[in-house]
Amino acid sequence: MAKLYFYYASMNAGKSTNLLQADFNYRERGMNTVLFTAGIDTRSGTGRIGSRIGLDRSAIAFDADTDLAATVLAAEGPIACVLVDEAQFLTAAQVDQLAMLADVQRIPVLAYGLRTDFRGDLFPGSARLLAIADSLVELKSVCECGRKATMNLRVDASGKAVAEGQQTEIGGEDRYVALCRKHFTERLAAAAG
């Protein structure tokens, strides 16, 4: 039975690296995959999944109007796996499409993304994945204190915590710091107060 997997973590935990390794494993065995990434994230270029360790691969850029299921079903040859980077940017309807691919089409779906935003709130795509995924896998990252990092703190150009703003602001190490809940809460409270 194919499953819908949600691999989630804070920033800098290696989500894209893990996705690219899984894709390589399928392709090395001669199996076809379909890769998606959020069109809003152009850090590696539009329609590219890139990791900080230098791996990258082209992917289909999605936005809120993309029909993921139709795109997969229109792909050439049998599809062995669907891999989604930046899954936090999926809509709930798109997550349901991915579940249908696993349940009806029997295609495994591996979705990788953030669980929460810079305020500690769930992203819509992540909330739906947490609700319906068959398997939830937390990838580990490390806080500056050595504890497990579970939160994403947005920072300004001087490294000071940002407490207000839009939920989505694309950035990497220049805009976000992965922290444990204790240090996230302390720095966010200092910025808000």
Side-chain angles (χ1 to χ4, degrees), residues 98-182:
L98 296 174
M100 183 280 298
L101 289 171
D103 296 343
V104 178
Q105 301 299 320
R106 297 187 177 118
I107 302 171
V109 177
L110 286 62
Y112 295 78
L114 300 173
R115 183 180 57 157
T116 59
D117 67 14
F118 76 105
R119 292 178 297 235
D121 296 330
L122 291 171
F123 284 96
S126 301
R128 188 66 179 151
L129 282 161
L130 288 167
I132 70 167
D134 298 300
S135 181
L136 302 172
V137 181
E138 182 180 25
L139 302 175
K140 306 297 190 279
S141 185
V142 180
C143 178
E144 57 198 24
C145 70
R147 293 174 50 188
K148 180 174 74 171
T150 58
M151 309 301 286
N152 304 299
L153 183 74
R154 185 180 292 167
V155 295
D156 62 19
S158 64
K160 182 180 176 194
V162 175
E164 298 293 326
Q166 295 292 318
Q167 183 178 45
T168 300
E169 183 175 314
I170 302 301
E173 297 86 9
D174 60 324
R175 296 293 296 146
Y176 294 93
V177 178
L179 298 172
C180 67
R181 185 181 58 243
K182 176 183 184 295

Side-chain angles (χ1 to χ4, degrees), residues 70-88:
T71 303
V72 170
L73 295 175
E76 288 188 33
I79 302 302
C81 186
V82 173
L83 300 106
V84 182
D85 198 29
E86 304 294 346
Q88 69 271 12

Side-chain angles (χ1 to χ4, degrees), residues 32-101:
N32 295 326
T33 60
V34 175
L35 279 67
F36 289 101
T37 190
I40 191 172
D41 186 354
T42 59
R43 288 175 293 163
S44 296
T46 302
R48 293 211 62 82
I49 298 171
S51 70
R52 285 179 313 287
I53 64 170
L55 303 174
D56 74 329
R57 179 135 158 70
S58 64
I60 299 166
F62 71 84
D63 61 25
D65 297 323
T66 305
D67 186 329
L68 303 178
T71 303
V72 170
L73 295 175
E76 288 188 33
I79 302 302
C81 186
V82 173
L83 300 106
V84 182
D85 198 29
E86 304 294 346
Q88 69 271 12
F89 297 129
L90 294 167
T91 66
Q94 287 170 324
V95 173
D96 291 341
Q97 292 170 15
L98 296 174
M100 183 280 298
L101 289 171

